[in-house]
Amino acid sequence: MPISFLWSRVPQPECRLAEASSTRVLVVEDDLPVGAVAAEALEEAGFTVLFATSAEKANAILAEEAVDVLFTDIDLGGLDGCALAQQALKAQPGIAVLLTSGRSRRCYADRLPPGAAFLAKPYRLPQLVDEVLRAVEATSSH
């Protein structure tokens, strides 16, 4: 399957860009090319993006920066994304959590934080942007 098929881009409507403009997203992905493409797509959609390649680096960012959305791979090596999400929710209770994995959501059902969204890999970049916007809307409506 060619990468252009998996990572296809579509223009984002202007109204969606306005919603994203003040939203800070922390992308955590140990596969650097995958994380870089995801971060770039979110930046192009108008989000402010912070990037970490491990849960440990993400925790250091969370200790220093206010973040609206945590988008993390689950299988990170070392501390995994589920544990990172739990720690992020303790550090920043209003944070929205979006987890991703190439494995089924069922594999992690007992470890996903309540209210966390899940995006299966491989995902399309427009799906990622939509899921991040949905996560922001869900946390702002509470």
Side-chain angles (χ1 to χ4, degrees):
M1 192 175 298
I3 196 159
S4 61
F5 175 74
L6 295 175
W7 298 97
S8 60
R9 297 175 191 265
V10 296
Q12 296 298 317
E14 288 302 317
C15 62
R16 303 298 294 266
L17 293 176
E19 293 174 48
S21 65
S22 63
T23 302
R24 296 170 56 91
V25 180
L26 174 56
V27 174
V28 186
E29 174 62 68
D30 60 344
D31 185 334
L32 190 56
V34 171
V37 170
E40 181 181 347
L42 291 169
E43 285 176 348
E44 287 178 3
F47 295 101
T48 300
V49 178
L50 305 166
F51 184 74
T53 56
S54 70
E56 293 76 14
K57 290 177 183 173
N59 274 326
I61 291 170
L62 289 164
E64 300 289 325
E65 304 279 345
V67 174
D68 300 298
V69 180
L70 170 65
F71 173 58
T72 183
D73 187 18
I74 294 176
D75 301 311
L76 292 171
L79 189 66
D80 76 2
C82 291
L84 171 62
Q86 297 288 357
Q87 292 174 357
L89 287 163
K90 287 179 184 164
Q92 298 187 28
I95 197 170
V97 175
L98 175 58
L99 297 136
T100 188
S101 177
R103 296 183 189 178
S104 167
R105 179 186 186 115
R106 290 188 312 260
C107 294
Y108 308 102
D110 60 333
R111 300 187 55 235
L112 297 176
F118 183 85
L119 181 61
K121 285 183 178 178
Y123 52 82
R124 293 177 183 254
L125 296 174
Q127 286 176 293
L128 170 59
V129 172
D130 287 344
E131 287 298 324
V132 169
L133 284 167
R134 253 192 289 281
V136 170
E137 291 165 2
T139 56
S140 63
S141 67
H142 287 100

